Amino acid sequence: MRLRLPEERPAEPPTGYKIAHPVLSQDGGRVGFVGVSLGGALPYGVVDEARCVYGLRHRAPHRRCDCGFHCVHDRAQAEGLLCTAEHRAAVLLEVAVLGSYIRFERGFRYARQRVRAMTVGACVRSCGAAAGVLTEADWGRPGWHALQATCADCARGRVAVSLTAFARLAGNGLRVRAGQGAAPPPSGAGVDELAAEAAFLQARLDWFQTRLARLVERGSTGHDLGS
């Protein structure tokens, strides 16, 4: 007797979260994403259907295979993956789980998806400011350029795609958001410290000038007495 798994028929598609790398086609006319694990070799669009990464002809997700899209239930758990060094340049995706899926304790493995929103992190350069564009990274896939979040200042001289242009090329109502970067220092930051340092240096200079004047007086007095 074959045991069948329970089937779900939700009124609305379940929502999940995942991380991925945004990509731009070689001709600059299309955008998409590549995963950070098994699906990293197969770019996918905003609305797409999963394919078996092993080249098998069965439909994803197959119970005896790892194929299919993957996501987690909890947004915070997906955000936590961005803390690792190898995933710092990835973006956070909010997806709608479509088609057949297999539910796990922490997420889904499923057949189709629609990317609803993409949240871009801070500039991957050393400044850490809020990102305003996506620039070409130093890697890619055949026919696709990987993109990374960059602020306007660090994007100078590099091929860049604005967040608005990325959303337009993606289509299907994709919402693109810019996450918070490092807060700029207040306008008066460091002024008090510099003023205190200047006052200290001035006080030392006054002390040296007073000592020098006394030495000059003593030298002059001793010279007069001995002449």
Side-chain angles (χ1 to χ4, degrees):
M1 182 174 178
R2 188 174 182 181
L3 180 64
R4 296 174 62 94
L5 294 176
E7 294 185 1
E8 298 182 25
R9 297 186 181 275
E12 297 182 356
T15 298
Y17 302 91
K18 62 195 302 182
I19 64 173
H21 294 285
V23 292
L24 175 69
S25 64
Q26 185 177 359
D27 59 6
R30 294 177 297 156
V31 295
F33 307 93
V34 294
V36 297
S37 57
L38 288 176
L42 300 175
Y44 56 87
V46 173
V47 179
D48 213 334
E49 185 171 350
R51 302 179 298 277
C52 180
V53 295
Y54 303 108
L56 302 179
R57 295 184 179 181
H58 55 238
R59 301 177 65 177
H62 197 277
R63 294 180 183 177
R64 298 181 180 179
C65 186
D66 296 329
C67 59
F69 291 123
H70 295 72
C71 71
V72 295
H73 302 300
D74 189 12
R75 178 189 179 98
Q77 184 178 0
E79 290 176 332
L81 299 175
L82 298 172
C83 297
T84 61
E86 62 270 26
H87 298 153
R88 292 290 294 274
V91 298
L92 177 68
L93 302 181
E94 175 188 319
V95 301
V97 177
L98 306 175
S100 60
Y101 60 82
I102 300 175
R103 180 187 290 271
F104 295 93
E105 179 181 0
R106 296 184 178 181
F108 298 97
R109 182 161 64 91
Y110 50 102
R112 299 180 64 247
Q113 75 176 5
R114 176 176 178 263
V115 182
R116 293 172 175 168
M118 177 181 80
T119 302
V120 179
C123 179
V124 298
R125 304 295 173 180
S126 57
C127 69
V133 296
L134 297 169
T135 58
E136 185 178 0
D138 298 328
W139 63 278
R141 294 289 183 266
W144 295 88
H145 301 288
L147 302 176
Q148 58 188 7
T150 313
C151 69
D153 291 336
C154 294
R156 294 176 182 174
R158 302 177 65 90
V159 177
V161 179
S162 68
L163 302 184
T164 303
F166 187 93
R168 176 176 53 81
L169 290 172
N172 296 290
L174 175 68
R175 304 188 305 273
V176 180
R177 306 163 180 161
Q180 296 181 352
S187 58
V191 175
D192 295 338
E193 290 82 356
L194 291 175
E197 186 70 18
F200 173 76
L201 293 176
Q202 185 62 49
R204 295 291 294 174
L205 180 61
D206 293 341
W207 182 82
F208 277 115
Q209 288 179 336
T210 301
R211 294 285 296 175
L212 180 60
R214 290 178 181 177
L215 290 175
V216 170
E217 286 183 3
R218 291 179 182 177
S220 300
T221 303
H223 178 72
D224 293 338
L225 292 175
S227 57

